[in-house]
Amino acid sequence: RTLGLATSDLALMAPAQIASAIQQRATALGYHLVIAMTAGNAQDTVNELLAQRVDALLINLPLDAAEAEQIQQQCGTKPALFLDVERHAGVAQCQFLSESGARQAVDHLVALGHRQIGVLNGPTSSASARSRFLAWQQALAAHQLEACCVLEGDWSAASGYQALLSLLPHTLPQALLVANDQMALGAMRALHQHGVRIPGEISLIGYDDTAESAWYQPPLTTVRQDLQQLGAESVDHLLARLNDVSAEMPSLETQLVIRETTAA
Ligand code: IPT
């Protein structure tokens, strides 16, 4: 039996670590895994997997509801499980809830005394980036706050670096919520380059908790998505559907991991 994984760019840390976790679980359960990395068009990527006669598919591509529903149709009777899709989409999904982690992140910053909190968002074309932004906005609103600056990157470290360079001539916020750890890495590089002390002059919180994030200098405070758990639960859930076992959709929670990039 063969499972397929359609994935976003594996040069990005989170999709790579998710693919690794999926591969481990599939292998442990005696399934073969075929991976297709997208070159931009989701339907083409899914077709590539279907041509290889996979029995069921995991789709880790950023998709709007309509795109996902179309792909589900394309898969016909083969079970498909979506990992990065608008939540209201009428498709089976296995995704982290952004709310708990975002609330913990904002509460932590506010408890440290920060009121000027900025945001470095992921690409607004991505459903997960939009859901993180919304969760931060709601968490800030609970403290009668609004994001004091909103920057956007494309998930890469380079884009985080560029975003911070564009901000640096102006006054920095007291804290910055960053939509993923890779952009936080680039942001930290720009801040170091300009002699801005982290966390002395600015607090930073990332998102993902990829395997490298504990090894940043200083070690990154971040909203953890347990990518190992996502890999395992998504394979288990897909297999349950493939074998006609009715299974509750696991609810995956995000959680703040406090390291050394946040201070009063
Ligand atoms: C999401 C990551 O959190 C983000 O850092 C980036 O790598 C993105 O994937 C790439 O699409 S995780 C996804 C399962 C929502």
Side-chain angles (χ1 to χ4, degrees):
R1 298 282 242 173
T2 302
L3 304 182
L5 167 64
T7 177
S8 10
D9 192 355
L10 289 171
L12 289 171
M13 301 308 304
Q17 290 172 21
I18 293 166
S20 163
I22 288 172
Q23 170 82 68
Q24 285 171 36
R25 186 62 152 210
T27 305
L29 297 175
Y31 285 79
H32 182 63
L33 182 74
V34 180
I35 298 179
M37 186 180 100
T38 190
N41 185 307
Q43 296 195 21
D44 290 349
T45 314
V46 169
N47 272 331
E48 219 177 296
L49 289 175
L50 292 171
Q52 299 192 60
R53 304 185 176 288
V54 297
D55 298 298
L57 298 92
L58 293 166
I59 316 283
N60 184 16
L61 302 170
L63 297 171
D64 292 347
E67 295 172 309
E69 284 156 15
Q70 200 167 18
I71 284 176
Q72 174 145 287
Q73 290 210 336
Q74 197 184 341
C75 293
T77 56
K78 295 183 176 172
L81 186 62
F82 293 79
L83 276 52
D84 189 0
V85 64
E86 285 183 306
R87 235 184 272 167
H88 65 265
V91 298
Q93 24 187 300
C94 186
Q95 305 201 83
F96 284 99
L97 302 172
S98 338
E99 289 77 8
S100 49
R103 191 171 356 91
Q104 289 166 13
V106 169
D107 288 353
H108 175 57
L109 292 177
V110 170
L112 292 171
H114 302 314
R115 309 281 304 165
Q116 284 151 0
I117 300 175
V119 162
L120 170 47
N121 206 9
T124 44
S125 57
S126 149
S128 53
R130 295 196 300 268
S131 125
R132 285 167 206 187
F133 185 53
L134 191 69
W136 283 327
Q137 281 181 312
Q138 286 167 348
L140 288 165
H143 295 279
Q144 284 80 49
L145 293 175
E146 269 177 39
C148 67
C149 66
V150 179
L151 304 166
E152 187 183 324
D154 66 2
W155 300 126
S156 70
S159 73
Y161 176 77
Q162 288 304 338
L164 263 282
L165 285 190
S166 75
L167 190 64
L168 270 163
H170 313 288
T171 7
L172 289 170
Q174 296 169 319
L176 193 65
L177 295 158
V178 186
N180 79 342
D181 292 355
Q182 278 187 276
M183 292 194 295
L185 180 63
M188 284 166 75
R189 170 80 191 128
L191 291 164
H192 287 316
Q193 205 172 303
H194 284 256
V196 179
R197 285 173 297 112
I198 309 166
E201 291 168 79
I202 187 170
S203 286
L204 280 186
I205 300 188
Y207 205 106
D208 276 339
D209 197 23
T210 48
E212 290 68 28
S213 308
W215 307 98
Y216 287 15
Q217 178 53 30
L220 186 66
T221 294
T222 189
V223 174
R224 177 172 169 76
Q225 309 195 90
D226 187 336
L227 304 179
Q228 205 69 37
Q229 182 195 12
L230 174 64
E233 303 253 17
S234 60
V235 169
D236 290 355
H237 194 82
L238 186 67
L239 291 179
R241 300 234 347 255
L242 184 62
N243 300 317
D244 273 326
V245 181
S246 74
E248 275 282 297
M249 194 70 71
S251 107
L252 303 177
E253 293 285 349
T254 46
Q255 205 189 350
L256 182 67
V257 177
I258 298 174
R259 296 202 182 94
E260 294 172 36
T261 54
T262 42

